Amino acid sequence: MTRFTREELEAARDRVIPDVVAGGLRVLFCGINPGLLSAATGHHFARPGNRFWPVLHLSGFTPRQLLPAEQDELPAYGLGITNVVARATARADELSAEEYVEGGRLLDAKVGRLRPEWLAVVGITAYRAAFGEKKAGIGPQERTVGGSRVWVLPNPSGLNAHWTAATMAEEYARLRVAAQAQDAP
């Protein structure tokens, strides 16, 4: 992976990276917002300590562990990626409550256009802030967003010490099984 200077990473602040989407997705994963390394590379979940790509594979969503640079392969597996807030920051705590709420509104419209079977929000705090669901927990939610069912997953950031890659993969696999069951006749 290319090394970036502090200045190059800082120059990526507020940059927006394109979603990885297509019609007919089984699951649209939704991060909080891009980090500076993701914005600099143009690849979602690009930070080496982020466990999204390993967990996606361990949970059975992909046949092998993809690299962030291979994100465009996701739609072939019925998967996509977007974010609650589009602009890049060094840390999620740099986002305002208003940005989360506006992000939730925009996400509802985006999901309504794309119509994935499931919206998987990776981060309980982001889900609660974006949709005003203060008591929401990890797992399937009662509400829909843009007409799609919602599953809240643990944040794969390396900073999330409450979940190991293995326990995260178990929760992601629960979603995978639910999405497959929805596909069954």
Side-chain angles (χ1 to χ4, degrees), residues 142-179:
E142 290 295 318
R143 77 171 299 150
T144 60
V145 171
S148 294
R149 301 215 36 214
V150 178
W151 197 294
V152 176
L153 293 167
N155 185 337
S157 166
L159 300 175
N160 182 358
H162 298 292
W163 292 78
T164 66
T167 57
M168 265 189 238
E170 289 172 11
E171 187 61 32
Y172 281 56
R174 286 183 57 218
L175 167 59
R176 181 185 51 76
V177 168

Short mmCIF file of all heavy atoms in Angstrom, two decimals, residues 142-179:
data_model
loop_
_atom_site.label_atom_id
_atom_site.label_comp_id
_atom_site.label_asym_id
_atom_site.label_seq_id
_atom_site.Cartn_x
_atom_site.Cartn_y
_atom_site.Cartn_z
N GLU A 142 -36.42 -3.00 13.63
CA GLU A 142 -37.84 -3.00 13.26
C GLU A 142 -38.09 -2.08 12.07
O GLU A 142 -38.90 -2.39 11.22
CB GLU A 142 -38.70 -2.56 14.45
CG GLU A 142 -38.75 -3.56 15.57
CD GLU A 142 -39.42 -4.86 15.16
OE1 GLU A 142 -40.45 -4.81 14.46
OE2 GLU A 142 -38.90 -5.93 15.52
N ARG A 143 -37.43 -0.95 12.05
CA ARG A 143 -37.69 0.05 11.01
C ARG A 143 -37.06 -0.34 9.68
O ARG A 143 -36.17 -1.18 9.64
CB ARG A 143 -37.17 1.42 11.46
CG ARG A 143 -35.66 1.55 11.31
CD ARG A 143 -35.12 2.95 11.55
NE ARG A 143 -35.65 3.89 10.61
CZ ARG A 143 -35.84 5.17 10.88
NH1 ARG A 143 -35.54 5.66 12.04
NH2 ARG A 143 -36.33 5.97 9.97
N THR A 144 -37.51 0.29 8.64
CA THR A 144 -36.87 0.17 7.34
C THR A 144 -36.28 1.53 6.99
O THR A 144 -36.68 2.56 7.53
CB THR A 144 -37.87 -0.26 6.24
OG1 THR A 144 -38.89 0.72 6.14
CG2 THR A 144 -38.46 -1.62 6.54
N VAL A 145 -35.33 1.53 6.10
CA VAL A 145 -34.74 2.76 5.57
C VAL A 145 -34.86 2.67 4.05
O VAL A 145 -34.40 1.69 3.45
CB VAL A 145 -33.26 2.92 6.00
CG1 VAL A 145 -32.61 4.07 5.27
CG2 VAL A 145 -33.17 3.13 7.52
N GLY A 146 -35.53 3.63 3.46
CA GLY A 146 -35.71 3.62 2.02
C GLY A 146 -36.43 2.39 1.51
O GLY A 146 -36.24 1.99 0.37
N GLY A 147 -37.22 1.76 2.38
CA GLY A 147 -37.94 0.55 1.99
C GLY A 147 -37.16 -0.73 2.19
O GLY A 147 -37.68 -1.82 1.95
N SER A 148 -35.90 -0.64 2.62
CA SER A 148 -35.07 -1.83 2.84
C SER A 148 -34.99 -2.17 4.32
O SER A 148 -35.02 -1.29 5.18
CB SER A 148 -33.65 -1.60 2.31
OG SER A 148 -33.66 -1.45 0.91
N ARG A 149 -34.86 -3.45 4.60
CA ARG A 149 -34.65 -3.89 5.99
C ARG A 149 -33.29 -3.41 6.46
O ARG A 149 -32.38 -3.22 5.66
CB ARG A 149 -34.75 -5.41 6.07
CG ARG A 149 -36.11 -5.90 5.59
CD ARG A 149 -36.68 -7.09 6.28
NE ARG A 149 -36.41 -7.19 7.70
CZ ARG A 149 -36.24 -8.36 8.31
NH1 ARG A 149 -36.28 -9.48 7.64
NH2 ARG A 149 -36.04 -8.40 9.61
N VAL A 150 -33.16 -3.24 7.77
CA VAL A 150 -31.94 -2.69 8.36
C VAL A 150 -31.36 -3.67 9.37
O VAL A 150 -32.08 -4.23 10.19
CB VAL A 150 -32.23 -1.34 9.07
CG1 VAL A 150 -30.97 -0.80 9.73
CG2 VAL A 150 -32.80 -0.33 8.09
N TRP A 151 -30.04 -3.82 9.31
CA TRP A 151 -29.30 -4.62 10.28
C TRP A 151 -28.15 -3.74 10.76
O TRP A 151 -27.39 -3.21 9.94
CB TRP A 151 -28.74 -5.87 9.62
CG TRP A 151 -28.31 -6.94 10.58
CD1 TRP A 151 -27.28 -6.89 11.48
CD2 TRP A 151 -28.90 -8.23 10.73
NE1 TRP A 151 -27.19 -8.07 12.16
CE2 TRP A 151 -28.17 -8.91 11.72
CE3 TRP A 151 -29.97 -8.87 10.11
CZ2 TRP A 151 -28.48 -10.20 12.11
CZ3 TRP A 151 -30.27 -10.16 10.50
CH2 TRP A 151 -29.53 -10.82 11.50
N VAL A 152 -28.02 -3.56 12.05
CA VAL A 152 -26.91 -2.79 12.60
C VAL A 152 -25.81 -3.77 13.01
O VAL A 152 -26.07 -4.75 13.72
CB VAL A 152 -27.35 -1.92 13.79
CG1 VAL A 152 -26.15 -1.19 14.40
CG2 VAL A 152 -28.41 -0.91 13.35
N LEU A 153 -24.61 -3.50 12.51
CA LEU A 153 -23.45 -4.34 12.77
C LEU A 153 -22.43 -3.59 13.62
O LEU A 153 -22.41 -2.36 13.63
CB LEU A 153 -22.80 -4.74 11.44
CG LEU A 153 -23.62 -5.64 10.54
CD1 LEU A 153 -23.02 -5.70 9.14
CD2 LEU A 153 -23.71 -7.04 11.14
N PRO A 154 -21.55 -4.31 14.29
CA PRO A 154 -20.48 -3.64 15.04
C PRO A 154 -19.55 -2.89 14.09
O PRO A 154 -19.29 -3.33 12.97
CB PRO A 154 -19.74 -4.77 15.74
CG PRO A 154 -20.37 -6.04 15.33
CD PRO A 154 -21.50 -5.76 14.42
N ASN A 155 -19.04 -1.78 14.57
CA ASN A 155 -18.08 -0.98 13.81
C ASN A 155 -16.78 -1.77 13.68
O ASN A 155 -16.20 -2.18 14.69
CB ASN A 155 -17.85 0.34 14.55
CG ASN A 155 -16.97 1.29 13.81
OD1 ASN A 155 -16.18 0.90 12.96
ND2 ASN A 155 -17.08 2.56 14.13
N PRO A 156 -16.28 -1.98 12.46
CA PRO A 156 -15.07 -2.79 12.28
C PRO A 156 -13.77 -2.04 12.57
O PRO A 156 -12.69 -2.61 12.44
CB PRO A 156 -15.14 -3.19 10.80
CG PRO A 156 -15.86 -2.06 10.15
CD PRO A 156 -16.88 -1.60 11.16
N SER A 157 -13.85 -0.79 12.97
CA SER A 157 -12.65 -0.03 13.28
C SER A 157 -11.79 -0.78 14.30
O SER A 157 -12.31 -1.41 15.22
CB SER A 157 -13.03 1.34 13.86
OG SER A 157 -11.91 1.95 14.47
N GLY A 158 -10.50 -0.67 14.13
CA GLY A 158 -9.58 -1.27 15.10
C GLY A 158 -9.72 -0.65 16.48
O GLY A 158 -9.28 -1.21 17.48
N LEU A 159 -10.37 0.53 16.56
CA LEU A 159 -10.58 1.19 17.84
C LEU A 159 -11.72 0.55 18.64
O LEU A 159 -11.87 0.82 19.81
CB LEU A 159 -10.89 2.68 17.62
CG LEU A 159 -9.80 3.48 16.92
CD1 LEU A 159 -10.28 4.90 16.66
CD2 LEU A 159 -8.53 3.47 17.74
N ASN A 160 -12.54 -0.28 17.99
CA ASN A 160 -13.67 -0.93 18.65
C ASN A 160 -13.16 -2.19 19.35
O ASN A 160 -13.15 -3.27 18.78
CB ASN A 160 -14.76 -1.27 17.64
CG ASN A 160 -15.97 -1.91 18.28
OD1 ASN A 160 -16.01 -2.16 19.49
ND2 ASN A 160 -16.98 -2.20 17.46
N ALA A 161 -12.77 -2.03 20.61
CA ALA A 161 -12.19 -3.14 21.37
C ALA A 161 -13.24 -4.08 21.93
O ALA A 161 -12.91 -5.15 22.45
CB ALA A 161 -11.33 -2.59 22.50
N HIS A 162 -14.52 -3.71 21.85
CA HIS A 162 -15.58 -4.55 22.40
C HIS A 162 -15.82 -5.81 21.57
O HIS A 162 -16.41 -6.76 22.06
CB HIS A 162 -16.89 -3.76 22.50
CG HIS A 162 -16.81 -2.59 23.41
ND1 HIS A 162 -16.65 -2.70 24.77
CD2 HIS A 162 -16.83 -1.27 23.15
CE1 HIS A 162 -16.59 -1.50 25.31
NE2 HIS A 162 -16.70 -0.61 24.34
N TRP A 163 -15.38 -5.79 20.30
CA TRP A 163 -15.62 -6.90 19.40
C TRP A 163 -14.30 -7.37 18.80
O TRP A 163 -13.51 -6.57 18.35
CB TRP A 163 -16.53 -6.47 18.25
CG TRP A 163 -17.94 -6.16 18.67
CD1 TRP A 163 -18.38 -5.02 19.28
CD2 TRP A 163 -19.09 -6.99 18.51
NE1 TRP A 163 -19.71 -5.09 19.50
CE2 TRP A 163 -20.18 -6.29 19.02
CE3 TRP A 163 -19.28 -8.25 17.96
CZ2 TRP A 163 -21.47 -6.82 19.02
CZ3 TRP A 163 -20.56 -8.77 17.95
CH2 TRP A 163 -21.64 -8.06 18.48
N THR A 164 -14.11 -8.68 18.76
CA THR A 164 -12.96 -9.25 18.06
C THR A 164 -13.37 -9.48 16.61
O THR A 164 -14.57 -9.46 16.29
CB THR A 164 -12.54 -10.58 18.68
OG1 THR A 164 -13.59 -11.53 18.46
CG2 THR A 164 -12.22 -10.45 20.17
N ALA A 165 -12.41 -9.76 15.76
CA ALA A 165 -12.75 -10.09 14.38
C ALA A 165 -13.66 -11.32 14.34
O ALA A 165 -14.61 -11.37 13.56
CB ALA A 165 -11.48 -10.32 13.56
N ALA A 166 -13.39 -12.28 15.20
CA ALA A 166 -14.20 -13.51 15.22
C ALA A 166 -15.63 -13.24 15.66
O ALA A 166 -16.58 -13.75 15.04
CB ALA A 166 -13.56 -14.55 16.14
N THR A 167 -15.84 -12.45 16.71
CA THR A 167 -17.21 -12.19 17.17
C THR A 167 -17.94 -11.27 16.18
O THR A 167 -19.14 -11.42 15.98
CB THR A 167 -17.25 -11.60 18.60
OG1 THR A 167 -16.47 -10.40 18.66
CG2 THR A 167 -16.74 -12.61 19.61
N MET A 168 -17.20 -10.37 15.54
CA MET A 168 -17.81 -9.55 14.49
C MET A 168 -18.26 -10.43 13.33
O MET A 168 -19.36 -10.26 12.79
CB MET A 168 -16.81 -8.52 13.96
CG MET A 168 -16.92 -7.19 14.61
SD MET A 168 -15.87 -6.04 13.71
CE MET A 168 -14.85 -5.54 15.05
N ALA A 169 -17.40 -11.36 12.94
CA ALA A 169 -17.72 -12.24 11.81
C ALA A 169 -18.97 -13.06 12.11
O ALA A 169 -19.78 -13.30 11.21
CB ALA A 169 -16.54 -13.16 11.50
N GLU A 170 -19.17 -13.45 13.37
CA GLU A 170 -20.40 -14.18 13.74
C GLU A 170 -21.63 -13.31 13.49
O GLU A 170 -22.63 -13.79 12.96
CB GLU A 170 -20.34 -14.61 15.21
CG GLU A 170 -19.35 -15.71 15.48
CD GLU A 170 -19.17 -15.98 16.98
OE1 GLU A 170 -19.97 -15.46 17.80
OE2 GLU A 170 -18.23 -16.70 17.32
N GLU A 171 -21.56 -12.04 13.87
CA GLU A 171 -22.71 -11.15 13.67
C GLU A 171 -22.92 -10.85 12.19
O GLU A 171 -24.06 -10.85 11.71
CB GLU A 171 -22.53 -9.85 14.46
CG GLU A 171 -23.75 -8.95 14.44
CD GLU A 171 -25.00 -9.59 15.06
OE1 GLU A 171 -24.88 -10.40 16.00
OE2 GLU A 171 -26.11 -9.28 14.57
N TYR A 172 -21.85 -10.63 11.46
CA TYR A 172 -21.98 -10.40 10.01
C TYR A 172 -22.56 -11.64 9.33
O TYR A 172 -23.36 -11.54 8.41
CB TYR A 172 -20.61 -10.04 9.40
CG TYR A 172 -20.16 -8.61 9.60
CD1 TYR A 172 -20.05 -8.04 10.87
CD2 TYR A 172 -19.81 -7.83 8.51
CE1 TYR A 172 -19.62 -6.74 11.04
CE2 TYR A 172 -19.37 -6.53 8.68
CZ TYR A 172 -19.27 -5.98 9.94
OH TYR A 172 -18.83 -4.69 10.11
N ALA A 173 -22.16 -12.82 9.81
CA ALA A 173 -22.68 -14.07 9.23
C ALA A 173 -24.18 -14.22 9.49
O ALA A 173 -24.90 -14.77 8.66
CB ALA A 173 -21.91 -15.27 9.78
N ARG A 174 -24.66 -13.73 10.63
CA ARG A 174 -26.10 -13.77 10.90
C ARG A 174 -26.85 -12.98 9.82
O ARG A 174 -27.89 -13.40 9.34
CB ARG A 174 -26.41 -13.19 12.28
CG ARG A 174 -26.03 -14.10 13.44
CD ARG A 174 -26.42 -13.50 14.80
NE ARG A 174 -27.85 -13.22 14.85
CZ ARG A 174 -28.41 -12.15 15.43
NH1 ARG A 174 -27.66 -11.24 16.03
NH2 ARG A 174 -29.71 -11.99 15.44
N LEU A 175 -26.30 -11.83 9.45
CA LEU A 175 -26.90 -11.04 8.37
C LEU A 175 -26.83 -11.79 7.05
O LEU A 175 -27.81 -11.84 6.30
CB LEU A 175 -26.21 -9.68 8.25
CG LEU A 175 -26.53 -8.88 6.99
CD1 LEU A 175 -28.03 -8.59 6.87
CD2 LEU A 175 -25.71 -7.60 6.96
N ARG A 176 -25.68 -12.39 6.76
CA ARG A 176 -25.53 -13.14 5.50
C ARG A 176 -26.58 -14.25 5.39
O ARG A 176 -27.22 -14.41 4.36
CB ARG A 176 -24.13 -13.74 5.39
CG ARG A 176 -23.90 -14.52 4.08
CD ARG A 176 -22.55 -15.19 4.04
NE ARG A 176 -22.23 -15.99 5.20
CZ ARG A 176 -22.74 -17.21 5.45
NH1 ARG A 176 -23.61 -17.76 4.62
NH2 ARG A 176 -22.40 -17.87 6.53
N VAL A 177 -26.78 -14.98 6.48
CA VAL A 177 -27.78 -16.05 6.50
C VAL A 177 -29.19 -15.48 6.28
O VAL A 177 -29.98 -16.03 5.51
CB VAL A 177 -27.68 -16.86 7.80
CG1 VAL A 177 -28.87 -17.80 7.98
CG2 VAL A 177 -26.38 -17.65 7.85
N ALA A 178 -29.49 -14.37 6.93
CA ALA A 178 -30.81 -13.74 6.77
C ALA A 178 -31.01 -13.27 5.33
O ALA A 178 -32.10 -13.42 4.77
CB ALA A 178 -30.96 -12.57 7.74
N ALA A 179 -29.96 -12.72 4.73
CA ALA A 179 -30.06 -12.25 3.35
C ALA A 179 -30.24 -13.43 2.39
O ALA A 179 -31.00 -13.34 1.42
CB ALA A 179 -28.82 -11.44 2.97
#
